[in-house]
Amino acid sequence: MASSEGEEFNRRGLFSTHGMHRLAIGGGGAGFEGTLQGSLAGGFRFPVGERHGPVIRAGIFGYLRGNDAFYASLLDLPQVQLGYQYAYGRTLLELGATSGAVLTGRFRAGEAETRILGAGLEIGAYAGVQIPWFRLGMSAMRLPTNDALSAPVRVAEGTLCAISAPFAICADGRVSVTDAIAAPGAAPVEVRAAYAGLAFGFTRER
């Protein structure tokens, strides 16, 4: 698989932005596989201190990813981020919560029926840590569904990178859990989709 991933926090005076992307294409035992994911949010960081303060942003978040055994999509607009940030030079720590209107989305794991997302608010949390030789990004989300089952879709994912520019080694993982109908006429059961990967590549820090 070939992939590209990035995350950026910026601040200019009171203004603050946060963006990320993840692109991947490849394949394996479950057939062709791809990922298209991104977010962009802008807002304010209030000047509680020279290096730290609360942040509030609004923007868009979405993804499309899967293979023959798994599929997931989401469009969250607008998504609101509320957190606290410490930033000094190339060191950053930010913790926060998210919420937003889920406009559309799907989730399918294995042979279970596809869950339909929407008609509610996403509720989640995130953490970002960046220093010159280390990067950690984590998030968790509870996604509302808009079908005959009431159980939400819960997603947790994270990326950990060791960096010595221009090289990087990154480990990433994701777990998705929900209830779904695994066979026609059967009662709903809990289904899970888990992913873990290790990437070697090149990086550029700013």
Side-chain angles (χ1 to χ4, degrees):
M1 176 173 287
S3 64
S4 172
E5 181 177 342
E7 185 173 24
E8 189 166 2
F9 296 85
N10 278 314
R11 183 174 70 92
R12 295 290 184 271
L14 285 175
F15 297 100
S16 173
T17 62
H18 177 206
M20 63 83 66
H21 78 275
R22 181 175 296 163
L23 309 171
I25 189 169
F32 175 79
E33 183 171 331
T35 296
L36 176 62
Q37 178 173 328
S39 69
L40 181 62
F44 305 95
R45 194 186 91 176
F46 300 98
V48 171
E50 181 181 353
R51 301 178 182 177
H52 61 91
V55 294
I56 182 169
R57 309 184 190 95
I60 183 173
F61 172 75
Y63 57 72
L64 178 67
R65 55 198 181 201
N67 53 32
D68 291 346
F70 165 78
Y71 174 80
S73 63
L74 173 70
L75 179 60
D76 200 356
L77 176 69
Q79 185 191 64
V80 176
Q81 302 173 358
L82 178 63
Y84 204 91
Q85 181 188 92
Y86 170 87
Y88 179 65
R90 296 169 72 179
T91 298
L92 179 134
L93 169 63
E94 182 170 319
L95 304 174
T98 64
S99 185
V102 176
L103 299 186
T104 187
R106 299 290 187 273
F107 175 83
R108 175 182 57 82
E111 299 299 323
E113 291 188 1
T114 300
R115 298 298 312 275
I116 300 174
L117 308 182
L121 295 178
E122 163 261 318
I123 299 173
Y126 69 94
V129 179
Q130 297 185 23
I131 58 178
W133 49 269
F134 173 88
R135 173 180 172 256
L136 172 66
M138 301 178 65
S139 67
M141 305 175 72
R142 182 184 185 275
L143 302 174
T145 52
N146 189 24
D147 53 23
L149 302 180
S150 60
V153 175
R154 302 179 297 277
V155 183
E157 58 185 319
T159 301
L160 174 64
C161 294
I163 300 168
S164 180
F167 303 105
I169 301 176
C170 295
D172 65 307
R174 180 180 66 249
V175 177
S176 304
V177 181
T178 191
D179 289 347
I181 298 174
V189 296
E190 184 177 89
V191 296
R192 300 187 180 199
Y195 164 87
L198 186 66
F200 302 86
F202 302 94
T203 187
R204 179 172 66 98
E205 291 186 289
R206 291 194 290 178

